[in-house]
Amino acid sequence: MPGGQERALRRRISSVQSTKKITRAMELIAATRVVKAQQRAHAARPYSTKLTGVIEDVAAGGAEATHPLLERRATVRRVGFVVITSDRGLAGPYNSSVIKAAERELMDAQTKGRDYSLMLIGKKAQDYFRFRNYRVDEAFVDMSDTPTYEDARQVAEVVAEKFESGYIDEVILAYMEFVTIGTQRVAVRRFLPLESIEVIATSGSGEPRAAFEFEPSPEGVLESLLPRYVESRLFSALLDAAASEHANRQRAMKAATDNAEELITKLTRAMNRARQDAITTEIMEIVGGAEALKDDGMDHLTDNDVASYLASVAGQSS
């Protein structure tokens, strides 16, 4: 019969093999989702490009930049932080990197004597800041995995309302920017107030554009465009964050699968050593028993007789 140590190692190997199957499945799922997230981000790009182009036309039409979303406050009393994380874990350093970067900015604002307002997207950010007794003004869940434009609009309306009402004087956006499948970086950027429309326009194509007439006026068109521009920027950040989450989860699960494979190899070697030790112990017991029988005056028995007798005793005890 296998010894107690061997049985324990067998159970542990079986447990690690089950875990390996789960992490491997999660790795494959994340690999599929990151491709889809990339495709969604690419599909959303033309809308943002076209919107920026229209703002360029409005700027060329002589619109005056007087929209509340462009207003720079003389004194910044309260800073709003929009932090985008995931609702689920097992994504490596994805959530912790974004949260730590946002917390550093928040603490820097506090050292300058400014208040803060937290508007969090994703359960992980909420759990972190609430556990540390930070004040959370707004919280959004169930939109980090596959964000929609309606999700971006919902968050943007809340953020813009707080800014336009004067509750917050500046908004900082913290999220993970997607560069490639192998590269993502934390981005902490000013979200509101927006740059002037001239600066926004320079992010467009820069090509010569035809002259347009705007009805009712360039300012009226700008009034409608800037909220859409805010929504577009936030939607782009949500898509980047989703793609980054899946890429980080894929890497984390691949590392977990590789570690499980390495652990199984080590445990298998340990189990083989334990089995060899048990066999060696049994052989030594048999040899010792044979020597003891001979010492008891049973010299007339052959070695085969002794071995057969000890084997039968061992079989009965098993």
Side-chain angles (χ1 to χ4, degrees), residues 6 8 11 19 27 48 53 57 67 70 95 116 158 166 194 216 227 242 252 254 257 259-260 268 276 284:
E6 185 179 345
R11 286 195 297 268
T19 302
E27 176 191 348
S48 178
D57 293 332
H67 195 279
L70 300 170
N95 290 304
Y116 67 89
V158 173
L194 296 174
K254 185 181 186 307
T257 303
N259 290 339
T268 301
Q276 291 170 357
M284 294 300 295

Side-chain angles (χ1 to χ4, degrees), residues 222-285:
L222 187 65
E223 183 80 19
S224 300
L225 282 181
L226 287 181
R228 304 292 83 78
Y229 182 72
V230 172
E231 296 167 4
S232 174
R233 286 185 61 191
L234 186 57
F235 185 49
S236 176
L238 285 171
L239 291 176
D240 263 24
S244 298
E245 175 190 348
H246 297 315
N248 276 268
R249 182 169 288 113
Q250 179 187 2
R251 286 200 302 272
M253 291 301 98
K254 185 181 186 307
T257 303
D258 293 343
N259 290 339
E261 183 65 36
E262 183 180 352
L263 183 58
I264 289 172
T265 301
K266 291 181 179 179
L267 291 175
T268 301
R269 290 173 180 169
M271 184 184 68
N272 291 338
R273 284 196 299 270
R275 183 188 298 129
Q276 291 170 357
D277 291 342
I279 292 172
T280 302
T281 301
E282 290 177 2
I283 292 174
M284 294 300 295
E285 289 175 351

